[in-house]
Amino acid sequence: MWHHSNKGNKSIKFTEDSLKCCVCFIEFESTIHNTALVEDHLQLREYYSVVINSLSQIINHHNGKIVKSLGDRLMCYFLNFSDLNNEKAFEDVIECGLEILEKREDMNNELLKKKNNLPPVENYKISLDYGVVDLALAGDNYQLDIFGSAVNLCSKINSSFSVAAKNEIIIGNNFYRIIKSFPNVLNKYNFINNGEFKVTENIGYPTYNIKRRSNTLLQNDGTNSTHSVKMEKQSNSYAEEDFIENKNNKREGFFFHKKNKNKRIILVDDDQEILFTYRLFLEGYDYHINSFTDPFSALNYIKDLPNFNDLLVILDIRMENLNGFQLHQQIKSIDPTIKILFITVLDILDEILTIVPGLSKEQIMRKPVEKKTFTNTVKNMLN
């Protein structure tokens, strides 16, 4: 369903549908704005024409599309991600970023051939992430636009001085947790932990730097060869360990149901006895169950899942450090399609429906819960 909105002479159509894709931001830096050329609109136009057309060719070659230009920054997206097992689609995104970095010199030679020797692009900052985006058609010609938490987070990573480095590709954890399960990808690239981007004061979002395993890329960073070899071995070791952990399904929870089930339930409550009771209620059902007393551990576990199909998170509201509302917000920022069931001792149904947008009465239960009601609610939500 589309919603129509007018703002001045511009028209926007919003859709209620969402899709999963890879988002990319590319920032390019040069000295053009510090020279007299900035006063020459024809020269400035020619500069952007060369840079954007060169980047567009590479992006299109790797099945990507430029959404819009934001000054010296491009936003693009890659849509071939309906199947999370499509290894080639994820590798194509990585290769797109690497090719942009590796062909910078070719593009700069083209700039130098222009009249007045247009200044070269000195640096790129490239950020990639995977997530759910919402669609809109904007402008008089209804150009496609994307927005949502995945777009916002990738943009902030790209503009962060503490995370995004020059002439490197930085990926977010949502992208990393999927590609680390592909052994062929681990054989081709190094994944180096780049630290966390602070989403909130208490929530950090892991980011990673990508380089080819040959270590032939980006030799201008001043790193000597011995250090590079050590770094490559160390990062490969981390990536291989991550692949083993991901493949074997890390057992971080308070309880772990060992059988590989299609329908997954994550229980979050700081009372271990309540978790034990919920698990007893669900015993005998065809569910894969993990339980957590620490909401941060639950959040990190969810971030590391390869997909969110048939996933239900059952959580308490009153928890220390991170309450149920805050946890709900963080989970929905990972993937808004994740189903959530609140169970609380608080008699504030109307208040919860007001605080949490999009929540229905069926997604809230009062403690203590009755077994049949609990199991039926879980079954209905997962179906």
Side-chain angles (χ1 to χ4, degrees):
M1 180 182 296
W2 291 92
H3 297 289
H4 187 81
S5 173
N6 287 310
K7 186 176 182 181
N9 294 325
K10 300 297 182 180
S11 184
I12 300 175
K13 287 184 177 180
F14 296 98
T15 174
E16 294 178 352
D17 296 326
S18 300
L19 57 86
K20 297 179 179 180
C21 71
C22 282
V23 181
C24 176
F25 280 86
I26 305 166
E27 182 180 343
F28 46 94
E29 300 177 356
S30 76
T31 60
I32 190 167
H33 295 294
N34 299 325
T35 68
L37 291 176
V38 74
E39 302 296 333
D40 188 332
H41 296 297
L42 292 178
Q43 291 292 318
L44 196 61
R45 183 182 301 173
E46 188 171 23
Y47 166 80
Y48 281 109
S49 176
V50 172
V51 175
I52 294 176
N53 286 335
S54 297
L55 293 176
S56 179
Q57 290 178 13
I58 297 174
I59 292 167
N60 291 339
H61 176 70
H62 292 282
N63 301 307
K65 298 290 182 182
I66 293 178
V67 179
K68 56 187 173 183
S69 172
L70 307 167
D72 291 340
R73 199 159 65 139
L74 300 180
M75 179 174 71
C76 53
Y77 69 102
F78 302 80
L79 289 177
N80 298 331
F81 296 94
S82 58
D83 179 11
L84 290 182
N85 293 317
N86 188 351
E87 180 177 339
K88 185 181 183 304
F90 284 92
E91 187 175 348
D92 228 13
V93 177
I94 297 174
E95 283 298 320
C96 179
L98 291 174
E99 186 174 342
I100 289 173
L101 295 179
E102 293 166 343
K103 290 190 174 181
R104 178 165 60 97
E105 185 175 347
D106 293 340
M107 185 186 66
N108 286 340
N109 288 334
E110 186 178 350
L111 287 168
L112 290 173
K113 292 177 183 178
K114 299 295 181 179
K115 186 180 178 180
N116 292 331
N117 294 328
L118 293 173
V121 172
E122 298 177 342
N123 299 298
Y124 284 122
K125 289 171 65 178
I126 301 176
S127 60
L128 297 170
D129 210 354
Y130 170 84
V132 176
V133 301
D134 297 315
L135 300 180
L137 296 179
D140 295 335
N141 297 321
Y142 290 121
Q143 298 293 320
L144 179 67
D145 198 358
I146 59 175
F147 58 97
S149 59
V151 176
N152 294 337
L153 189 55
C154 191
S155 174
K156 289 178 181 178
I157 291 173
N158 186 260
S159 59
S160 171
F161 292 103
S162 62
V163 176
K166 296 178 179 179
N167 293 327
E168 291 187 347
I169 302 174
I170 304 299
I171 63 172
N173 192 60
N174 285 340
F175 188 89
Y176 176 69
R177 63 179 173 75
I178 299 172
I179 59 176
K180 73 179 184 181
S181 64
F182 300 133
N184 290 332
V185 171
L186 295 179
N187 288 332
K188 294 181 180 180
Y189 311 104
N190 294 330
F191 298 93
I192 303 169
N193 193 319
N194 195 55
E196 290 190 342
F197 174 77
K198 287 294 183 182
V199 180
T200 67
E201 184 177 350
N202 297 322
I203 301 294
Y205 185 65
T207 60
Y208 301 84
N209 168 249
I210 298 181
K211 292 187 179 182
R212 296 191 188 280
R213 288 195 68 171
S214 61
N215 205 41
T216 58
L217 180 62
L218 305 178
Q219 293 297 326
N220 61 342
D221 60 0
T223 305
N224 62 54
S225 59
T226 303
H227 178 75
S228 299
V229 171
K230 289 181 179 179
M231 179 64 75
E232 180 175 348
K233 289 181 178 179
Q234 184 183 46
S235 59
N236 288 339
S237 175
Y238 291 155
E240 288 163 5
E241 288 174 3
D242 281 337
F243 169 66
I244 292 172
E245 288 180 345
N246 189 65
K247 189 174 181 180
N248 292 333
N249 290 324
K250 288 187 291 184
R251 289 151 173 78
E252 297 182 15
F254 181 72
F255 296 109
F256 188 86
H257 201 290
K258 295 184 179 180
K259 294 182 180 179
N260 184 23
K261 309 297 183 182
N262 291 328
K263 297 185 185 298
R264 182 185 297 273
I265 296 175
I266 295 175
L267 306 171
V268 189
D269 197 301
D270 53 11
D271 189 329
Q272 295 183 3
E273 292 186 5
I274 291 178
L275 293 176
F276 185 76
T277 300
Y278 293 163
R279 187 170 181 272
L280 286 178
F281 285 172
L282 297 170
E283 206 168 43
Y285 289 84
D286 191 27
Y287 301 137
H288 178 112
I289 303 173
N290 285 85
S291 301
F292 296 86
T293 56
D294 177 23
F296 285 105
S297 296
L299 185 61
N300 290 331
Y301 180 83
I302 293 170
K303 288 179 180 178
D304 203 39
L305 292 175
N307 66 73
F308 307 109
N309 299 330
D310 296 316
L311 172 63
L312 172 64
V313 182
I314 301 174
L315 53 89
D316 188 22
I317 291 179
R318 293 199 303 186
M319 295 184 291
E320 293 184 1
N321 301 323
L322 192 69
N323 65 47
F325 297 131
Q326 294 169 323
L327 182 57
H328 172 274
Q329 183 181 11
Q330 293 299 323
I331 292 172
K332 288 296 184 178
S333 70
I334 297 173
D335 191 324
T337 64
I338 297 175
K339 303 175 183 68
I340 294 180
L341 172 63
F342 283 105
I343 301 182
T344 178
V345 71
L346 302 174
D347 187 14
I348 53 170
L349 174 61
D350 293 335
E351 288 84 348
I352 295 175
L353 294 176
T354 303
I355 293 172
V356 184
L359 200 66
S360 66
K361 294 181 180 180
E362 291 73 22
Q363 294 173 270
I364 308 171
M365 294 186 68
R366 284 284 310 278
K367 290 181 180 179
V369 297
E370 190 268 328
K371 179 179 179 180
K372 186 175 181 180
T373 304
F374 177 74
T375 55
N376 285 341
T377 301
V378 169
K379 181 179 179 181
N380 291 335
M381 292 190 70
L382 283 173
N383 287 337

